[in-house]
Amino acid sequence: MKVAVFCHSMLSDWNHGNAHFLRGIGRELLRAGHQPRFFEPIDAWSVENLVADAGPAALDGWRPHYPEFAISRYRLSELDLDAALEGVQLVLMHEWNSPDLVRRLGALRARGARFRLLFHDTHHRLLTAPEEFTRFDFSGYDGVLAFGEVLRERYAARGWGRRAYTWHEAADVELFRSRRDRGHTGDLVWIGNWGDEERTRELQEYLLDPVRELSLACHVHGVRYPESARAALRSAGALYRGWLPNYRVPEVFGGFRVTVHVPRRPYAEALPGIPTIRPFEALACGIPLLSAPWSDSEGLFRVGQDFLVARDGAEMRRMLRAVLSDAELAGWLARSGQETIRRRHTCAHRVQELLEICREIGADGVEPGSDCSSARTTPRVSPEPSVCEETA
């Protein structure tokens, strides 16, 4: 099956976590015998910021860790969709794309194009900034892939796309695996972007205060840290290390004894059940994971076994002391989390789910028995409501 993926960027993961997931999905599609091609705008915001931060060579650093992906960069005003989609049976349109491009693809499908068209949403904007979605036209879309059940329910309620599926992110376990055989260089590592003040208070309570009060050797990686954030890190005794290429995350995890997950406020409050991709990757690497409050409402993990959740800063400090002083507890958490990832949450599992969706929506080029994983999973799907027929 020929697959076209319209994404913000495959080349850059600078403040762009979807690149992590799509690289793993591309690897597994190729492994399963399919032909993915990725399309990204030549002026992608993430690419421009990465080049400004780390130089042009940073755009190619990830390539030795992945198969040779077919990537086409385009200017929207010059994009020939008929040529780009020749022979394509499935199109994935990520939400971080131009509304005009979203509309043009939908119009092609509505006029009878043979490919199947799915909208892929991995962000909280639909719930936190729904007015932005008035710019999108989903009337020609065969379905929506939402990275959590609460988001899928919102799409289904609005009748956007003929069907809505839950399609969680996952870990690329070809890359994300344990690298813990070189000894520890520090106690705690946190990898994440400071962003738009969506978790400043939480980072202080669950990361910086414990680091300072326990005198931990802590490194922090990420981008978009204003001077006020860097001052807070210095005050806590944490070392700021800047942008970290995603392909280097496993080796960095391997040098530390524990990591912490601090969800952004929209995910903790408006999108329960959506962990984002970092916990998947951390657990796949076999590093003990402690989390600020987060509700696993979809039962993705074994909370209290795969990772621990602290209800407040004081409990986070107690948990950190326990994990850092008890090698047996730390090893048990690491093994449990890694087991759950490999059993349920790899990119191979997600490609299998995608192939099942393709069979359901009638995409050509998917063999009845095609598979890329021994595990079978069934994504949640909303029934096709009559309102969708009216808007298709």
Side-chain angles (χ1 to χ4, degrees), residues 5 30 32 74 202 205 275:
V5 181
L30 286 168
Y74 65 85
E202 292 85 350
E205 179 177 2

Side-chain angles (χ1 to χ4, degrees), residues 29-43:
L29 282 170
L30 286 168
R31 183 172 288 167
H34 301 286
Q35 302 171 58
R37 175 176 289 275
F38 297 87
F39 294 84
E40 63 177 82
I42 200 166
D43 57 350

